[in-house]
Amino acid sequence: MGKATRAAYGETLVELVEEGLNIVVVEADLSGSTTTAKLGAAYPERLVNVGIAEQNMTCVAAGLSATGRIAFTGSFAVFGAGRAYEQIRNTVCYNNFDVKIAPTHSGVTVGPDGGSHQMLEDIALMRVLPNMRVLVPADYVSAKAAIRLAAKTPGPFYVRLGRVGVPDVYEEGFELELGRAYILREGTDVTLAACGIEVAKALEAAEMLQKQGISAEVLDMVSVKPLDVDTLVESVLKTGRIVTCEEHSVLGGLGSAVSEVLSEVAPTPTRRIGVADRFGTSGTPDELIEYFGLGADAIVEAALELFRL
Amino acid sequence: MSVSAFDGEKVKSIATRMRIDIIEMLAEAKSGHPGGSLSAADIVATLYFGGVLKYDPSDLCDKMRDRFVLSKGHAAPVQYAALAEAGIIERKELLGLRKLGHMLQGHPDASKTPGVEVSTGSLGQGISVSCGMALGLKIDGGSQRVFCLTGDGELDEGQVWEAAMFAAHEKLDNLTVIVDNNGLQIDGLCCDVMSLGDIGAKFSAFGFDVLEVDGHDCFALHEAFTTPPCKDKPRVIIAHTHKGKGVSFMEDKASWHGTAPSLEQAKSACDELCAPKGSDA
């Protein structure tokens, strides 16, 4: 198992500061968990802690960006994106401030803390905001690339990070391009379009499908917004079927974004893997992935269903 | 501008002109918020035209400028009147208030209106943004100040107190929060809708330097604005005002929070504002 995507956060910020970027991170008393404490340890003046106050955190970051800084915020997804949603909308996005919301602890893999802490609606909330770009990296390396891309591209970003270790998908040195999907495996029979930790699950599912004689194409839809419509359409025109996979509510996230586009330009039989319209629950991350039907076998089953249509 | 050079009479007459502009633009727009715009006119006039706010109308991006954030964004007309008076926007723009395709939005939009630092309108967020600005300017070692105007009803928002805690903790002595303390919010008297208690004591308990002034006395406002900062303490100036100030039929009435005057009412209001001083004596 590789490192968690959150492990990329503090580390990458330190690197970016060392490269001369005028970065500041505003935290809400979770700098140890989010790993931004690493930046604070190396450069204390670059870490501002507002205490347990995510709404203030978000707007203080906006004010800091107004004085020429690239401002990141910390916290967990349910608070950093959820509790501060209206601040992100009206202060960060409406003003198009250079603020990057990069909360850790998204999805069910937060684990034993339970439903209150398992953010399953953040992609939905963030992708509908004008000016906001949404990146959902699959592993530690792509999380580093996503943080770098966000830092170097002016304007608001949402970079969705997770708590637990995930399999490595990319090689060190990978650079991310905004609005691009990555074809991780070519195939002809079904497209598996995934984001975040579900990318590794989709790759696993593709292997399983191969054993059944089905050739699956795996796309990493890391840039949920802007979405790489060309790659997506090209893939489904070839395969004729698509399964979307995300560690998020099945409502409003990647599956919805993909369906919205394809229904207009290339209607395609689709199955959406995600958490059904419900809250999370306590358990270990691995147990929860299975419990909520986010594992490779669930993806395989969804793909096979498309062949039975 | 030094304190001695302060021309209070000039500022007062500018405030009156701004009030007339507010009434006229709202009547033309047929919607908007007269009460809280009129209550803040003397505060905003003193900031912009009393030599308090350091800004260069011809260089709005000057890094050395002071920042003004209108957290009570519904009072946008008072800022628009000041921007027109300062020559930052053209006077004719005032009549485009709230109209499609014009620069003056119902609530301040920094992307559309020159001279607006931050788009505001959702209450309670302006103080936090001001804190971030003040911190950034302080870290950079500049002498710029940040002035943030909030309403008293706005203090209901919990985020205000998150920001107050932060401002004191970070020793933001370049931050001045001005409370337009007119005692009214949409649903009625602040003390009936949600008791605020002693606002000064609350800010003081958070670590603010607290000043209280008559918010319609330009001389007192000027003195408060130019009082040197207390080292390491943010400041709050509680400016006691009357909602709808200057227009007798609007004064102290919650119903004029968000209702535009008819053309007839606007004429009557402007006549009253134009009347020479002491004419009602």
mmCIF file with all atom_site columns, all heavy atoms in Angstrom, chain A residues 53 55-56 59-60 63-64 69 86-87 90-91 94-95, chain B residues 109 119 122 125 128-129 132 136 139-140 159 162 166:
data_model
loop_
_atom_site.group_PDB
_atom_site.id
_atom_site.type_symbol
_atom_site.label_atom_id
_atom_site.label_alt_id
_atom_site.label_comp_id
_atom_site.label_asym_id
_atom_site.label_entity_id
_atom_site.label_seq_id
_atom_site.pdbx_PDB_ins_code
_atom_site.Cartn_x
_atom_site.Cartn_y
_atom_site.Cartn_z
_atom_site.occupancy
_atom_site.B_iso_or_equiv
_atom_site.pdbx_formal_charge
_atom_site.auth_seq_id
_atom_site.auth_comp_id
_atom_site.auth_asym_id
_atom_site.auth_atom_id
_atom_site.pdbx_PDB_model_num
ATOM 1   N N   . ALA A 1 53  ? -12.523 27.018 13.537 1.00 0.00 ? 53  ALA A N   1
ATOM 2   C CA  . ALA A 1 53  ? -13.359 28.082 12.970 1.00 0.00 ? 53  ALA A CA  1
ATOM 3   C C   . ALA A 1 53  ? -13.198 28.080 11.448 1.00 0.00 ? 53  ALA A C   1
ATOM 4   O O   . ALA A 1 53  ? -12.512 28.917 10.877 1.00 0.00 ? 53  ALA A O   1
ATOM 5   C CB  . ALA A 1 53  ? -12.942 29.422 13.572 1.00 0.00 ? 53  ALA A CB  1
ATOM 6   N N   . GLN A 1 55  ? -15.231 28.699 8.972  1.00 0.00 ? 55  GLN A N   1
ATOM 7   C CA  . GLN A 1 55  ? -15.770 29.801 8.172  1.00 0.00 ? 55  GLN A CA  1
ATOM 8   C C   . GLN A 1 55  ? -14.772 30.948 8.152  1.00 0.00 ? 55  GLN A C   1
ATOM 9   O O   . GLN A 1 55  ? -14.475 31.524 7.097  1.00 0.00 ? 55  GLN A O   1
ATOM 10  C CB  . GLN A 1 55  ? -17.108 30.249 8.743  1.00 0.00 ? 55  GLN A CB  1
ATOM 11  C CG  . GLN A 1 55  ? -18.130 29.126 8.762  1.00 0.00 ? 55  GLN A CG  1
ATOM 12  C CD  . GLN A 1 55  ? -19.380 29.496 9.528  1.00 0.00 ? 55  GLN A CD  1
ATOM 13  O OE1 . GLN A 1 55  ? -19.952 30.566 9.326  1.00 0.00 ? 55  GLN A OE1 1
ATOM 14  N NE2 . GLN A 1 55  ? -19.821 28.635 10.410 1.00 0.00 ? 55  GLN A NE2 1
ATOM 15  N N   . ASN A 1 56  ? -14.240 31.256 9.332  1.00 0.00 ? 56  ASN A N   1
ATOM 16  C CA  . ASN A 1 56  ? -13.221 32.302 9.412  1.00 0.00 ? 56  ASN A CA  1
ATOM 17  C C   . ASN A 1 56  ? -11.974 31.890 8.632  1.00 0.00 ? 56  ASN A C   1
ATOM 18  O O   . ASN A 1 56  ? -11.391 32.693 7.912  1.00 0.00 ? 56  ASN A O   1
ATOM 19  C CB  . ASN A 1 56  ? -12.881 32.572 10.879 1.00 0.00 ? 56  ASN A CB  1
ATOM 20  C CG  . ASN A 1 56  ? -12.033 33.814 11.063 1.00 0.00 ? 56  ASN A CG  1
ATOM 21  O OD1 . ASN A 1 56  ? -12.273 34.843 10.438 1.00 0.00 ? 56  ASN A OD1 1
ATOM 22  N ND2 . ASN A 1 56  ? -11.021 33.720 11.898 1.00 0.00 ? 56  ASN A ND2 1
ATOM 23  N N   . CYS A 1 59  ? -12.357 32.652 4.905  1.00 0.00 ? 59  CYS A N   1
ATOM 24  C CA  . CYS A 1 59  ? -12.333 34.068 4.534  1.00 0.00 ? 59  CYS A CA  1
ATOM 25  C C   . CYS A 1 59  ? -10.997 34.728 4.886  1.00 0.00 ? 59  CYS A C   1
ATOM 26  O O   . CYS A 1 59  ? -10.575 35.659 4.196  1.00 0.00 ? 59  CYS A O   1
ATOM 27  C CB  . CYS A 1 59  ? -13.501 34.807 5.190  1.00 0.00 ? 59  CYS A CB  1
ATOM 28  S SG  . CYS A 1 59  ? -15.093 34.292 4.543  1.00 0.00 ? 59  CYS A SG  1
ATOM 29  N N   . VAL A 1 60  ? -10.331 34.271 5.936  1.00 0.00 ? 60  VAL A N   1
ATOM 30  C CA  . VAL A 1 60  ? -8.986  34.787 6.232  1.00 0.00 ? 60  VAL A CA  1
ATOM 31  C C   . VAL A 1 60  ? -8.054  34.416 5.073  1.00 0.00 ? 60  VAL A C   1
ATOM 32  O O   . VAL A 1 60  ? -7.242  35.226 4.621  1.00 0.00 ? 60  VAL A O   1
ATOM 33  C CB  . VAL A 1 60  ? -8.457  34.237 7.578  1.00 0.00 ? 60  VAL A CB  1
ATOM 34  C CG1 . VAL A 1 60  ? -6.951  34.446 7.706  1.00 0.00 ? 60  VAL A CG1 1
ATOM 35  C CG2 . VAL A 1 60  ? -9.168  34.921 8.749  1.00 0.00 ? 60  VAL A CG2 1
ATOM 36  N N   . GLY A 1 63  ? -8.642  36.842 2.391  1.00 0.00 ? 63  GLY A N   1
ATOM 37  C CA  . GLY A 1 63  ? -8.007  38.133 2.669  1.00 0.00 ? 63  GLY A CA  1
ATOM 38  C C   . GLY A 1 63  ? -6.501  38.075 2.456  1.00 0.00 ? 63  GLY A C   1
ATOM 39  O O   . GLY A 1 63  ? -5.900  39.013 1.933  1.00 0.00 ? 63  GLY A O   1
ATOM 40  N N   . LEU A 1 64  ? -5.905  36.968 2.823  1.00 0.00 ? 64  LEU A N   1
ATOM 41  C CA  . LEU A 1 64  ? -4.455  36.809 2.608  1.00 0.00 ? 64  LEU A CA  1
ATOM 42  C C   . LEU A 1 64  ? -4.144  36.762 1.113  1.00 0.00 ? 64  LEU A C   1
ATOM 43  O O   . LEU A 1 64  ? -3.141  37.307 0.656  1.00 0.00 ? 64  LEU A O   1
ATOM 44  C CB  . LEU A 1 64  ? -3.953  35.549 3.318  1.00 0.00 ? 64  LEU A CB  1
ATOM 45  C CG  . LEU A 1 64  ? -3.792  35.701 4.837  1.00 0.00 ? 64  LEU A CG  1
ATOM 46  C CD1 . LEU A 1 64  ? -3.723  34.331 5.518  1.00 0.00 ? 64  LEU A CD1 1
ATOM 47  C CD2 . LEU A 1 64  ? -2.555  36.525 5.193  1.00 0.00 ? 64  LEU A CD2 1
ATOM 48  N N   . ARG A 1 69  ? -0.878  36.634 -1.814 1.00 0.00 ? 69  ARG A N   1
ATOM 49  C CA  . ARG A 1 69  ? -0.414  35.287 -1.482 1.00 0.00 ? 69  ARG A CA  1
ATOM 50  C C   . ARG A 1 69  ? -1.261  34.221 -2.171 1.00 0.00 ? 69  ARG A C   1
ATOM 51  O O   . ARG A 1 69  ? -2.407  34.456 -2.528 1.00 0.00 ? 69  ARG A O   1
ATOM 52  C CB  . ARG A 1 69  ? -0.493  35.083 0.038  1.00 0.00 ? 69  ARG A CB  1
ATOM 53  C CG  . ARG A 1 69  ? 0.519   35.910 0.783  1.00 0.00 ? 69  ARG A CG  1
ATOM 54  C CD  . ARG A 1 69  ? 0.158   36.033 2.253  1.00 0.00 ? 69  ARG A CD  1
ATOM 55  N NE  . ARG A 1 69  ? 1.237   36.665 2.985  1.00 0.00 ? 69  ARG A NE  1
ATOM 56  C CZ  . ARG A 1 69  ? 1.478   37.966 2.987  1.00 0.00 ? 69  ARG A CZ  1
ATOM 57  N NH1 . ARG A 1 69  ? 0.704   38.789 2.312  1.00 0.00 ? 69  ARG A NH1 1
ATOM 58  N NH2 . ARG A 1 69  ? 2.493   38.478 3.660  1.00 0.00 ? 69  ARG A NH2 1
ATOM 59  N N   . GLU A 1 86  ? -20.693 28.234 2.146  1.00 0.00 ? 86  GLU A N   1
ATOM 60  C CA  . GLU A 1 86  ? -21.180 29.524 1.666  1.00 0.00 ? 86  GLU A CA  1
ATOM 61  C C   . GLU A 1 86  ? -20.047 30.558 1.624  1.00 0.00 ? 86  GLU A C   1
ATOM 62  O O   . GLU A 1 86  ? -20.053 31.465 0.791  1.00 0.00 ? 86  GLU A O   1
ATOM 63  C CB  . GLU A 1 86  ? -22.341 29.989 2.550  1.00 0.00 ? 86  GLU A CB  1
ATOM 64  C CG  . GLU A 1 86  ? -23.224 31.006 1.893  1.00 0.00 ? 86  GLU A CG  1
ATOM 65  C CD  . GLU A 1 86  ? -23.023 32.373 2.490  1.00 0.00 ? 86  GLU A CD  1
ATOM 66  O OE1 . GLU A 1 86  ? -22.312 32.480 3.509  1.00 0.00 ? 86  GLU A OE1 1
ATOM 67  O OE2 . GLU A 1 86  ? -23.566 33.324 1.955  1.00 0.00 ? 86  GLU A OE2 1
ATOM 68  N N   . GLN A 1 87  ? -19.068 30.383 2.512  1.00 0.00 ? 87  GLN A N   1
ATOM 69  C CA  . GLN A 1 87  ? -17.888 31.255 2.462  1.00 0.00 ? 87  GLN A CA  1
ATOM 70  C C   . GLN A 1 87  ? -17.086 30.964 1.185  1.00 0.00 ? 87  GLN A C   1
ATOM 71  O O   . GLN A 1 87  ? -16.539 31.877 0.561  1.00 0.00 ? 87  GLN A O   1
ATOM 72  C CB  . GLN A 1 87  ? -17.010 31.027 3.700  1.00 0.00 ? 87  GLN A CB  1
ATOM 73  C CG  . GLN A 1 87  ? -17.519 31.685 4.977  1.00 0.00 ? 87  GLN A CG  1
ATOM 74  C CD  . GLN A 1 87  ? -18.737 31.008 5.575  1.00 0.00 ? 87  GLN A CD  1
ATOM 75  O OE1 . GLN A 1 87  ? -19.104 29.897 5.221  1.00 0.00 ? 87  GLN A OE1 1
ATOM 76  N NE2 . GLN A 1 87  ? -19.377 31.684 6.505  1.00 0.00 ? 87  GLN A NE2 1
ATOM 77  N N   . ASN A 1 90  ? -19.416 32.587 -1.693 1.00 0.00 ? 90  ASN A N   1
ATOM 78  C CA  . ASN A 1 90  ? -19.569 34.044 -1.782 1.00 0.00 ? 90  ASN A CA  1
ATOM 79  C C   . ASN A 1 90  ? -18.285 34.830 -1.620 1.00 0.00 ? 90  ASN A C   1
ATOM 80  O O   . ASN A 1 90  ? -18.186 35.949 -2.125 1.00 0.00 ? 90  ASN A O   1
ATOM 81  C CB  . ASN A 1 90  ? -20.598 34.526 -0.754 1.00 0.00 ? 90  ASN A CB  1
ATOM 82  C CG  . ASN A 1 90  ? -22.003 34.495 -1.322 1.00 0.00 ? 90  ASN A CG  1
ATOM 83  O OD1 . ASN A 1 90  ? -22.197 34.713 -2.506 1.00 0.00 ? 90  ASN A OD1 1
ATOM 84  N ND2 . ASN A 1 90  ? -22.974 34.197 -0.493 1.00 0.00 ? 90  ASN A ND2 1
ATOM 85  N N   . THR A 1 91  ? -17.329 34.293 -0.886 1.00 0.00 ? 91  THR A N   1
ATOM 86  C CA  . THR A 1 91  ? -16.083 35.061 -0.753 1.00 0.00 ? 91  THR A CA  1
ATOM 87  C C   . THR A 1 91  ? -15.004 34.526 -1.682 1.00 0.00 ? 91  THR A C   1
ATOM 88  O O   . THR A 1 91  ? -14.418 35.281 -2.449 1.00 0.00 ? 91  THR A O   1
ATOM 89  C CB  . THR A 1 91  ? -15.609 35.100 0.715  1.00 0.00 ? 91  THR A CB  1
ATOM 90  O OG1 . THR A 1 91  ? -16.558 35.873 1.469  1.00 0.00 ? 91  THR A OG1 1
ATOM 91  C CG2 . THR A 1 91  ? -14.261 35.775 0.837  1.00 0.00 ? 91  THR A CG2 1
ATOM 92  N N   . TYR A 1 94  ? -16.865 33.842 -5.709 1.00 0.00 ? 94  TYR A N   1
ATOM 93  C CA  . TYR A 1 94  ? -17.484 35.058 -6.277 1.00 0.00 ? 94  TYR A CA  1
ATOM 94  C C   . TYR A 1 94  ? -16.413 36.109 -6.543 1.00 0.00 ? 94  TYR A C   1
ATOM 95  O O   . TYR A 1 94  ? -16.464 36.828 -7.529 1.00 0.00 ? 94  TYR A O   1
ATOM 96  C CB  . TYR A 1 94  ? -18.555 35.573 -5.308 1.00 0.00 ? 94  TYR A CB  1
ATOM 97  C CG  . TYR A 1 94  ? -19.479 36.625 -5.880 1.00 0.00 ? 94  TYR A CG  1
ATOM 98  C CD1 . TYR A 1 94  ? -20.018 36.504 -7.161 1.00 0.00 ? 94  TYR A CD1 1
ATOM 99  C CD2 . TYR A 1 94  ? -19.851 37.743 -5.118 1.00 0.00 ? 94  TYR A CD2 1
ATOM 100 C CE1 . TYR A 1 94  ? -20.882 37.472 -7.668 1.00 0.00 ? 94  TYR A CE1 1
ATOM 101 C CE2 . TYR A 1 94  ? -20.709 38.708 -5.616 1.00 0.00 ? 94  TYR A CE2 1
ATOM 102 C CZ  . TYR A 1 94  ? -21.218 38.569 -6.897 1.00 0.00 ? 94  TYR A CZ  1
ATOM 103 O OH  . TYR A 1 94  ? -22.066 39.534 -7.393 1.00 0.00 ? 94  TYR A OH  1
ATOM 104 N N   . ASN A 1 95  ? -15.418 36.178 -5.663 1.00 0.00 ? 95  ASN A N   1
ATOM 105 C CA  . ASN A 1 95  ? -14.314 37.126 -5.855 1.00 0.00 ? 95  ASN A CA  1
ATOM 106 C C   . ASN A 1 95  ? -13.189 36.558 -6.715 1.00 0.00 ? 95  ASN A C   1
ATOM 107 O O   . ASN A 1 95  ? -12.247 37.269 -7.029 1.00 0.00 ? 95  ASN A O   1
ATOM 108 C CB  . ASN A 1 95  ? -13.724 37.526 -4.504 1.00 0.00 ? 95  ASN A CB  1
ATOM 109 C CG  . ASN A 1 95  ? -14.589 38.530 -3.765 1.00 0.00 ? 95  ASN A CG  1
ATOM 110 O OD1 . ASN A 1 95  ? -14.604 39.712 -4.091 1.00 0.00 ? 95  ASN A OD1 1
ATOM 111 N ND2 . ASN A 1 95  ? -15.317 38.073 -2.752 1.00 0.00 ? 95  ASN A ND2 1
ATOM 112 N N   . ASP B 2 109 ? -19.754 44.165 -6.017 1.00 0.00 ? 109 ASP B N   1
ATOM 113 C CA  . ASP B 2 109 ? -19.084 43.143 -6.806 1.00 0.00 ? 109 ASP B CA  1
ATOM 114 C C   . ASP B 2 109 ? -17.754 43.721 -7.286 1.00 0.00 ? 109 ASP B C   1
ATOM 115 O O   . ASP B 2 109 ? -17.723 44.582 -8.165 1.00 0.00 ? 109 ASP B O   1
ATOM 116 C CB  . ASP B 2 109 ? -19.968 42.739 -7.987 1.00 0.00 ? 109 ASP B CB  1
ATOM 117 C CG  . ASP B 2 109 ? -19.335 41.624 -8.830 1.00 0.00 ? 109 ASP B CG  1
ATOM 118 O OD1 . ASP B 2 109 ? -18.103 41.423 -8.733 1.00 0.00 ? 109 ASP B OD1 1
ATOM 119 O OD2 . ASP B 2 109 ? -20.070 40.965 -9.574 1.00 0.00 ? 109 ASP B OD2 1
ATOM 120 N N   . SER B 2 119 ? -16.033 41.600 -3.003 1.00 0.00 ? 119 SER B N   1
ATOM 121 C CA  . SER B 2 119 ? -17.473 41.398 -3.186 1.00 0.00 ? 119 SER B CA  1
ATOM 122 C C   . SER B 2 119 ? -18.048 40.914 -1.866 1.00 0.00 ? 119 SER B C   1
ATOM 123 O O   . SER B 2 119 ? -17.551 39.945 -1.298 1.00 0.00 ? 119 SER B O   1
ATOM 124 C CB  . SER B 2 119 ? -17.722 40.343 -4.262 1.00 0.00 ? 119 SER B CB  1
ATOM 125 O OG  . SER B 2 119 ? -17.035 40.678 -5.442 1.00 0.00 ? 119 SER B OG  1
ATOM 126 N N   . SER B 2 122 ? -22.999 38.670 1.780  1.00 0.00 ? 122 SER B N   1
ATOM 127 C CA  . SER B 2 122 ? -23.339 37.625 2.734  1.00 0.00 ? 122 SER B CA  1
ATOM 128 C C   . SER B 2 122 ? -22.730 38.052 4.067  1.00 0.00 ? 122 SER B C   1
ATOM 129 O O   . SER B 2 122 ? -21.511 38.178 4.190  1.00 0.00 ? 122 SER B O   1
ATOM 130 C CB  . SER B 2 122 ? -22.756 36.303 2.259  1.00 0.00 ? 122 SER B CB  1
ATOM 131 O OG  . SER B 2 122 ? -23.032 35.314 3.209  1.00 0.00 ? 122 SER B OG  1
ATOM 132 N N   . GLN B 2 125 ? -18.903 37.867 6.700  1.00 0.00 ? 125 GLN B N   1
ATOM 133 C CA  . GLN B 2 125 ? -17.672 37.397 6.051  1.00 0.00 ? 125 GLN B CA  1
ATOM 134 C C   . GLN B 2 125 ? -16.642 38.503 5.863  1.00 0.00 ? 125 GLN B C   1
ATOM 135 O O   . GLN B 2 125 ? -15.448 38.238 5.772  1.00 0.00 ? 125 GLN B O   1
ATOM 136 C CB  . GLN B 2 125 ? -18.008 36.728 4.710  1.00 0.00 ? 125 GLN B CB  1
ATOM 137 C CG  . GLN B 2 125 ? -18.927 35.533 4.905  1.00 0.00 ? 125 GLN B CG  1
ATOM 138 C CD  . GLN B 2 125 ? -19.220 34.742 3.630  1.00 0.00 ? 125 GLN B CD  1
ATOM 139 O OE1 . GLN B 2 125 ? -18.458 34.777 2.675  1.00 0.00 ? 125 GLN B OE1 1
ATOM 140 N NE2 . GLN B 2 125 ? -20.328 34.023 3.639  1.00 0.00 ? 125 GLN B NE2 1
ATOM 141 N N   . SER B 2 128 ? -13.795 38.717 8.482  1.00 0.00 ? 128 SER B N   1
ATOM 142 C CA  . SER B 2 128 ? -12.780 37.673 8.304  1.00 0.00 ? 128 SER B CA  1
ATOM 143 C C   . SER B 2 128 ? -11.833 38.010 7.152  1.00 0.00 ? 128 SER B C   1
ATOM 144 O O   . SER B 2 128 ? -10.621 37.836 7.263  1.00 0.00 ? 128 SER B O   1
ATOM 145 C CB  . SER B 2 128 ? -13.437 36.325 8.003  1.00 0.00 ? 128 SER B CB  1
ATOM 146 O OG  . SER B 2 128 ? -14.155 35.857 9.104  1.00 0.00 ? 128 SER B OG  1
ATOM 147 N N   . VAL B 2 129 ? -12.396 38.472 6.051  1.00 0.00 ? 129 VAL B N   1
ATOM 148 C CA  . VAL B 2 129 ? -11.557 38.851 4.907  1.00 0.00 ? 129 VAL B CA  1
ATOM 149 C C   . VAL B 2 129 ? -10.631 39.991 5.329  1.00 0.00 ? 129 VAL B C   1
ATOM 150 O O   . VAL B 2 129 ? -9.434  39.992 5.010  1.00 0.00 ? 129 VAL B O   1
ATOM 151 C CB  . VAL B 2 129 ? -12.415 39.280 3.699  1.00 0.00 ? 129 VAL B CB  1
ATOM 152 C CG1 . VAL B 2 129 ? -11.534 39.750 2.564  1.00 0.00 ? 129 VAL B CG1 1
ATOM 153 C CG2 . VAL B 2 129 ? -13.291 38.133 3.233  1.00 0.00 ? 129 VAL B CG2 1
ATOM 154 N N   . GLY B 2 132 ? -7.725  38.728 7.211  1.00 0.00 ? 132 GLY B N   1
ATOM 155 C CA  . GLY B 2 132 ? -6.708  38.140 6.330  1.00 0.00 ? 132 GLY B CA  1
ATOM 156 C C   . GLY B 2 132 ? -5.877  39.219 5.659  1.00 0.00 ? 132 GLY B C   1
ATOM 157 O O   . GLY B 2 132 ? -4.654  39.127 5.566  1.00 0.00 ? 132 GLY B O   1
ATOM 158 N N   . GLY B 2 136 ? -1.909  39.922 6.236  1.00 0.00 ? 136 GLY B N   1
ATOM 159 C CA  . GLY B 2 136 ? -0.985  39.938 5.098  1.00 0.00 ? 136 GLY B CA  1
ATOM 160 C C   . GLY B 2 136 ? -0.186  41.234 5.043  1.00 0.00 ? 136 GLY B C   1
ATOM 161 O O   . GLY B 2 136 ? 1.032   41.227 4.858  1.00 0.00 ? 136 GLY B O   1
ATOM 162 N N   . ILE B 2 139 ? 2.357   41.306 7.904  1.00 0.00 ? 139 ILE B N   1
ATOM 163 C CA  . ILE B 2 139 ? 3.512   40.425 7.652  1.00 0.00 ? 139 ILE B CA  1
ATOM 164 C C   . ILE B 2 139 ? 4.473   41.097 6.663  1.00 0.00 ? 139 ILE B C   1
ATOM 165 O O   . ILE B 2 139 ? 5.687   41.019 6.806  1.00 0.00 ? 139 ILE B O   1
ATOM 166 C CB  . ILE B 2 139 ? 3.044   39.044 7.107  1.00 0.00 ? 139 ILE B CB  1
ATOM 167 C CG1 . ILE B 2 139 ? 2.313   38.272 8.201  1.00 0.00 ? 139 ILE B CG1 1
ATOM 168 C CG2 . ILE B 2 139 ? 4.238   38.234 6.589  1.00 0.00 ? 139 ILE B CG2 1
ATOM 169 C CD1 . ILE B 2 139 ? 1.611   37.017 7.704  1.00 0.00 ? 139 ILE B CD1 1
ATOM 170 N N   . ASP B 2 140 ? 3.870   41.783 5.678  1.00 0.00 ? 140 ASP B N   1
ATOM 171 C CA  . ASP B 2 140 ? 4.708   42.458 4.686  1.00 0.00 ? 140 ASP B CA  1
ATOM 172 C C   . ASP B 2 140 ? 5.365   43.722 5.236  1.00 0.00 ? 140 ASP B C   1
ATOM 173 O O   . ASP B 2 140 ? 6.154   44.367 4.546  1.00 0.00 ? 140 ASP B O   1
ATOM 174 C CB  . ASP B 2 140 ? 3.875   42.807 3.445  1.00 0.00 ? 140 ASP B CB  1
ATOM 175 C CG  . ASP B 2 140 ? 3.475   41.565 2.656  1.00 0.00 ? 140 ASP B CG  1
ATOM 176 O OD1 . ASP B 2 140 ? 4.134   40.521 2.828  1.00 0.00 ? 140 ASP B OD1 1
ATOM 177 O OD2 . ASP B 2 140 ? 2.498   41.625 1.890  1.00 0.00 ? 140 ASP B OD2 1
ATOM 178 N N   . GLN B 2 159 ? -19.682 33.881 12.703 1.00 0.00 ? 159 GLN B N   1
ATOM 179 C CA  . GLN B 2 159 ? -18.362 34.064 12.083 1.00 0.00 ? 159 GLN B CA  1
ATOM 180 C C   . GLN B 2 159 ? -17.698 35.363 12.525 1.00 0.00 ? 159 GLN B C   1
ATOM 181 O O   . GLN B 2 159 ? -16.474 35.462 12.570 1.00 0.00 ? 159 GLN B O   1
ATOM 182 C CB  . GLN B 2 159 ? -18.500 34.030 10.555 1.00 0.00 ? 159 GLN B CB  1
ATOM 183 C CG  . GLN B 2 159 ? -17.142 34.050 9.851  1.00 0.00 ? 159 GLN B CG  1
ATOM 184 C CD  . GLN B 2 159 ? -17.255 34.021 8.341  1.00 0.00 ? 159 GLN B CD  1
ATOM 185 O OE1 . GLN B 2 159 ? -18.330 33.821 7.787  1.00 0.00 ? 159 GLN B OE1 1
ATOM 186 N NE2 . GLN B 2 159 ? -16.140 34.213 7.665  1.00 0.00 ? 159 GLN B NE2 1
ATOM 187 N N   . GLU B 2 162 ? -15.744 34.522 15.469 1.00 0.00 ? 162 GLU B N   1
ATOM 188 C CA  . GLU B 2 162 ? -14.547 33.757 15.084 1.00 0.00 ? 162 GLU B CA  1
ATOM 189 C C   . GLU B 2 162 ? -13.461 34.742 14.641 1.00 0.00 ? 162 GLU B C   1
ATOM 190 O O   . GLU B 2 162 ? -12.283 34.609 14.988 1.00 0.00 ? 162 GLU B O   1
ATOM 191 C CB  . GLU B 2 162 ? -14.840 32.813 13.903 1.00 0.00 ? 162 GLU B CB  1
ATOM 192 C CG  . GLU B 2 162 ? -15.807 31.682 14.183 1.00 0.00 ? 162 GLU B CG  1
ATOM 193 C CD  . GLU B 2 162 ? -16.014 30.756 12.975 1.00 0.00 ? 162 GLU B CD  1
ATOM 194 O OE1 . GLU B 2 162 ? -15.429 30.990 11.892 1.00 0.00 ? 162 GLU B OE1 1
ATOM 195 O OE2 . GLU B 2 162 ? -16.768 29.786 13.118 1.00 0.00 ? 162 GLU B OE2 1
ATOM 196 N N   . PHE B 2 166 ? -9.765  35.890 16.299 1.00 0.00 ? 166 PHE B N   1
ATOM 197 C CA  . PHE B 2 166 ? -8.559  35.808 15.462 1.00 0.00 ? 166 PHE B CA  1
ATOM 198 C C   . PHE B 2 166 ? -7.817  37.145 15.415 1.00 0.00 ? 166 PHE B C   1
ATOM 199 O O   . PHE B 2 166 ? -6.588  37.194 15.548 1.00 0.00 ? 166 PHE B O   1
ATOM 200 C CB  . PHE B 2 166 ? -8.975  35.379 14.050 1.00 0.00 ? 166 PHE B CB  1
ATOM 201 C CG  . PHE B 2 166 ? -7.851  35.312 13.063 1.00 0.00 ? 166 PHE B CG  1
ATOM 202 C CD1 . PHE B 2 166 ? -7.014  34.209 13.025 1.00 0.00 ? 166 PHE B CD1 1
ATOM 203 C CD2 . PHE B 2 166 ? -7.626  36.346 12.163 1.00 0.00 ? 166 PHE B CD2 1
ATOM 204 C CE1 . PHE B 2 166 ? -5.969  34.135 12.104 1.00 0.00 ? 166 PHE B CE1 1
ATOM 205 C CE2 . PHE B 2 166 ? -6.582  36.279 11.245 1.00 0.00 ? 166 PHE B CE2 1
ATOM 206 C CZ  . PHE B 2 166 ? -5.757  35.175 11.224 1.00 0.00 ? 166 PHE B CZ  1
#
